[in-house]
Amino acid sequence: MTTPLKFQHGMVAPLIALFVGVVGFPLGYAAYLSVTDYKLTDRGAPAIVGADNFVATFGDSGFWNAFGTTALYVVVAVGLELVIGLALALSLQKQKWARDLTRSMLLAPMFITPIAVGLTFRFLLNDQLGAIPTMLQAIGVDYDFFGPDRALFTLALIDVWQWTPFMVLLLLAGLESIPKEPLDAARVDGAGGFYVLRRVTLPLLAPVLVVAILLRSLDAMKTFEYVFATTRGGPGTETETLQYFIYQTGIQFFRLGSASSMAFVVLIVVLAVIVVAFRRMERAKTR
């Protein structure tokens, strides 16, 4: 009985070693840096400052401004992706012809590197040289996509363009796994399409919706490439997201100790969101 168990442990050991090397060591080193005053410009050994970096992070108005910017970005981007993704998934579910071609074309954007997407839209939406502003100007519309009060929404639309296919993929899989009997029974009873969607389809799709929203929200929270490729946090600090703020603190301003503490605060918030979401899912299943 012990031989198969030892064999299983031996099979898992390389995976554990890889995980420790790729994830464990960087995470542990970041935890060490978060309690030091380490700066890239210092040559000596960093001094241990304990929780001072975390106290400074909680009192940093710039960090909380970036937190609010990121939250707004996530709400706008994921909200639009959910609505558009659900509409497309419902349409694709009923499609009878060229299904494989349509789905492959629809999923193409999410396989492009995000930095390449950001650079592409940077030139497409440039108010002086961009193709889209030029076409709008031809019909009398002058719109600066990266101007004040617009830049963050533009970045959210870029995210929507690239990652709505991911939402479509999850929701389409969920729709196709829903049993047909409740839908057929509702239609036999004379229920309309919107009633069936609201009262039957969405409740049955709720677990998939929660997972899709959670995955996309966590991914959108760490957005960096779009900001780096287009606005660099501007105009002002309007598009300064958490990841870009941490990048500025650690790389541009050389304060790796402070940046590490900020990253761990974000990690704690993300873990708390995950725990709350999954507990609610478990409670919903037991009802």
Side-chain angles (χ1 to χ4, degrees):
M1 295 295 293
T2 59
T3 302
L5 186 61
K6 289 181 178 179
F7 178 75
Q8 292 176 3
H9 289 169
M11 294 291 289
V12 175
L15 179 61
I16 296 175
L18 181 64
F19 179 82
V20 171
V22 174
V23 178
F25 174 75
L27 194 62
Y29 188 64
Y32 162 72
L33 291 179
S34 68
V35 296
T36 69
D37 63 351
Y38 181 67
K39 297 180 181 178
L40 287 174
T41 54
D42 293 342
R43 295 186 178 181
I48 302 296
V49 296
D52 289 354
N53 287 334
F54 292 93
V55 173
T57 296
F58 282 107
D60 190 343
S61 60
F63 175 82
W64 292 112
N65 179 66
F67 193 96
T69 299
T70 304
L72 178 59
Y73 172 87
V74 170
V75 170
V76 173
V78 177
L80 288 174
E81 289 165 9
L82 178 63
V83 173
I84 299 172
L86 181 60
L88 290 175
L90 290 169
S91 300
L92 289 174
Q93 186 189 23
K94 298 177 181 179
Q95 186 181 10
K96 301 299 183 181
W97 54 274
R99 297 179 62 182
D100 294 338
L101 177 61
T102 304
R103 296 182 186 190
S104 61
M105 292 176 62
L106 183 66
L107 298 178
M110 73 183 212
F111 296 110
I112 305 174
T113 307
I115 190 68
V117 173
L119 289 172
T120 300
F121 277 97
R122 174 184 176 181
F123 292 107
L124 280 175
L125 302 177
N126 185 277
D127 61 339
Q128 296 179 348
L129 304 173
I132 296 177
T134 300
M135 288 187 292
L136 291 177
Q137 289 170 7
I139 60 174
V141 178
D142 189 7
Y143 188 86
D144 184 4
F145 286 91
F146 296 116
D149 300 324
R150 301 173 181 177
L152 187 65
F153 185 70
T154 299
L155 292 182
L157 290 180
I158 295 174
D159 191 278
V160 169
W161 180 86
Q162 181 167 26
W163 293 110
T164 295
F166 178 78
M167 190 73 76
V168 173
L169 191 65
L170 292 180
L171 297 181
L172 186 58
L175 287 172
E176 293 182 344
S177 66
I178 292 177
K180 304 298 182 183
E181 290 79 7
L183 301 176
D184 294 338
R187 293 191 184 97
V188 169
D189 290 340
F194 181 74
Y195 184 89
V196 172
L197 174 65
R198 186 165 58 94
R199 293 290 188 175
V200 181
T201 303
L202 289 183
L204 292 175
L205 195 62
V208 178
L209 287 171
V210 172
V211 172
I213 293 172
L214 184 62
L215 289 178
R216 276 303 305 134
S217 297
L218 295 178
D219 189 56
M221 275 190 67
K222 62 183 184 65
T223 185
F224 171 80
E225 295 90 344
Y226 304 146
V227 181
F228 183 81
T230 55
T231 63
R232 299 294 175 97
T237 59
E238 188 174 315
T239 59
E240 199 172 64
T241 59
L242 276 173
Q243 296 299 323
Y244 191 77
F245 185 80
I246 293 172
Y247 158 78
Q248 281 187 312
T249 302
I251 304 302
Q252 292 187 345
F253 304 145
F254 309 119
R255 295 160 46 205
L256 279 183
S258 298
S260 298
S261 66
M262 294 175 186
F264 269 91
V265 170
V266 175
L267 178 63
I268 292 170
V269 172
V270 169
L271 290 177
V273 170
I274 293 174
V275 170
V276 171
F278 277 102
R279 282 185 177 179
R280 289 188 175 182
M281 287 178 61
E282 291 298 326
R283 290 175 183 173
K285 289 180 181 178
T286 55
R287 289 177 183 176

